[in-house]
Amino acid sequence: PEYVEKIKSNMLEIIQTGQSPLFNHIHTAEFIRADGSRRTVEQITFPVKKENGYGVRSMARDVTERRIAEEKLRESEERFRLLFENSRATMLIVDPHNGQIVDANPAATNYYGYSLDQLRGMPINKINTLPPETIHTELQHAAQEERNFFVFPHRLASGEMRTVEVHSSP
């Protein structure tokens, strides 16, 4: 009985004032349908002014498919991250527009002798010793997928020079 009275009191206040902490926020709920399937729904509730107070309206949408797609994307990203981090192949992710190293895997830190923090944000021309305009041209070839295999002279943190084969993909 106390719970029912509280609901009645809250509803009366909503009708009179149009105020509720539940209004104008998206709430997510999961429902189990009669067939046993689960559906995820987002709902927003809001007041509507009437002549003698306020009414309550709400809109809901089924976001089950979006949630499933988001979960699959998270799983795919996790697989990629694990593949990237655990690969023994040296991997750098380079922004083709500005030549900045966006990320590197542990194999790259071991090979080049720089820490991960040093590699992230480093311009590729600190490692690649070709002239900057040549590096820019080659980055464009990679970005436009005109080429995916390159041979470059790279300088390690120790100053040692090595010739590397680079395989690129978008």
Side-chain angles (χ1 to χ4, degrees):
E2 300 89 31
Y3 183 69
V4 172
E5 281 306 312
K6 184 173 181 176
I7 291 174
K8 284 181 183 178
S9 173
N10 286 344
M11 289 303 294
L12 184 59
E13 184 176 335
I14 289 170
I15 291 168
Q16 292 172 345
T17 67
Q19 302 292 313
S20 171
L22 299 176
F23 285 167
N24 301 315
H25 299 285
I26 295 174
H27 301 276
T28 304
E30 188 173 279
F31 295 95
I32 301 174
R33 296 177 17 177
D35 66 1
S37 64
R38 293 178 176 271
R39 304 304 291 178
T40 303
V41 176
E42 288 181 344
Q43 178 179 355
I44 188 166
T45 306
F46 50 92
V48 176
K49 180 77 171 133
K50 299 180 129 196
E51 289 179 20
N52 58 351
Y54 290 87
V56 177
R57 299 289 183 266
S58 99
M59 294 189 307
R61 65 179 170 187
D62 187 332
V63 295
T64 306
E65 301 308 318
R66 185 184 82 203
R67 291 290 172 115
I68 291 169
E70 288 170 348
E71 182 58 31
K72 286 181 179 177
L73 179 60
R74 271 191 296 280
E75 290 170 1
S76 176
E77 288 173 342
E78 178 66 11
R79 279 192 305 275
F80 171 78
R81 185 187 64 73
L82 289 172
L83 176 67
F84 181 73
E85 289 179 357
N86 295 322
S87 177
R88 293 178 189 216
T90 298
M91 293 186 191
L92 299 173
I93 298 176
V94 179
D95 183 329
H97 303 293
N98 62 16
Q100 297 293 106
I101 298 172
V102 176
D103 206 354
N105 69 349
T109 62
N110 290 336
Y111 182 80
Y112 288 105
Y114 292 103
S115 72
L116 182 57
D117 287 339
Q118 289 173 313
L119 283 171
R120 285 183 179 150
M122 178 186 288
I124 193 64
N125 64 4
K126 183 164 182 180
I127 292 173
N128 190 323
T129 61
L130 290 175
E133 54 279 350
T134 304
I135 294 172
H136 176 75
T137 300
E138 298 297 0
L139 283 170
Q140 295 313 304
H141 288 304
Q144 295 166 8
E145 299 182 60
E146 294 168 352
R147 288 180 51 200
N148 64 359
F149 176 76
F150 306 86
V151 177
F152 292 133
H154 279 195
R155 178 177 289 116
L156 308 183
S158 67
E160 179 184 350
M161 295 294 294
R162 293 207 182 145
T163 300
V164 298
E165 293 181 354
V166 174
H167 299 267
S168 71
S169 61

